[in-house]
Amino acid sequence: MQAGSLFSSLIDVSENDSYGSTPSCTCTACRAWDGPNGHLSDRYAKFWLSVQREAEKVRPNARIITIAYDSYYQPPQETKLNDRIITGIVPGFYFPWSDDNRQEFRKQWQGWADTGARLYLRPNWLHFGHNFPFNFARKLGEDFR
C-alpha cells in the first residue's frame, strides 16, 4: 500500500452528531433492515456494508469509517461486519463512572469487536462534570486491559 492510500480509501458514512439522530424513515424497505425488535444498529451495519460493496467496484481497497452512537450504539444483533469497516465506539453512558456502567461499556466494545469491525474509541467522557475535576484514566486503562 502506498503512503496516503489508506486515507484515500476511507469513506466516512457517520451520522451528523446531533441529539435524536434516530432514523426518521419508517418505510417498509428501511424497516426491513432493522434487527429484532427494531434494533437500529443492524440497519446501520447493513447500510455500511452496502456502501462498502458499491465503493469496492471503483476502489477495491475501500474502507468505511463511522461511529456507533445514539440510537445505534449497541452492537448489531444479526449483521456481521468486516475489518474494512472502522467503527468509533461512543459509549452509551456518562457520569458517574460506576462498575455497572463500566461493565456495560465492556459488553458494548466486545459486541462490536465480535462483528469483525475494526474499532476505535470516540467517547464523550470529557463532558463529565462540566469543568469539575474528574479523572477516569485509571479506570479506562483497567477496562481496556
Side-chain angles (χ1 to χ4, degrees):
M1 184 181 296
Q2 295 177 346
S5 62
L6 170 65
F7 296 110
S8 66
S9 68
L10 286 175
I11 301 169
D12 188 346
V13 295
S14 302
E15 282 277 337
N16 288 333
D17 188 5
S18 63
Y19 178 74
S21 60
T22 301
S24 58
C25 187
T26 58
C27 78
T28 305
C30 288
R31 299 286 308 256
W33 279 14
D34 293 350
N37 302 318
H39 201 258
L40 294 177
S41 297
D42 282 282
R43 179 189 299 200
Y44 280 88
K46 289 171 186 172
F47 171 70
W48 302 335
L49 287 168
S50 68
V51 171
Q52 181 188 24
R53 281 191 296 273
E54 286 299 312
E56 286 173 340
K57 293 175 183 176
V58 177
R59 188 170 294 250
N61 64 339
R63 290 172 174 80
I64 303 300
I65 189 163
T66 189
I67 57 175
Y69 188 58
D70 195 33
S71 60
Y72 54 100
Y73 80 95
Q74 291 294 340
Q77 295 177 354
E78 297 179 333
T79 309
K80 293 296 180 191
L81 299 170
N82 61 62
D83 66 355
R84 289 185 294 148
I85 305 287
I86 305 165
T87 306
I89 303 302
V90 183
F93 74 91
Y94 294 92
F95 190 80
W97 200 292
S98 68
D99 288 340
D100 287 344
N101 285 339
R102 291 173 66 198
Q103 188 59 37
E104 183 62 28
F105 164 65
R106 291 175 183 191
K107 181 180 173 187
Q108 177 192 11
W109 185 274
Q110 188 59 55
W112 280 101
D114 290 345
T115 69
R118 291 175 138 180
L119 307 180
Y120 67 96
L121 183 62
R122 197 298 225 162
N124 284 324
W125 293 333
L126 297 177
H127 295 294
F128 286 177
H130 299 281
N131 297 322
F132 187 75
F134 178 68
N135 187 339
F136 54 84
R138 285 195 174 116
K139 290 182 178 181
L140 174 60
E142 290 170 6
D143 289 342
F144 270 97
R145 194 171 323 121

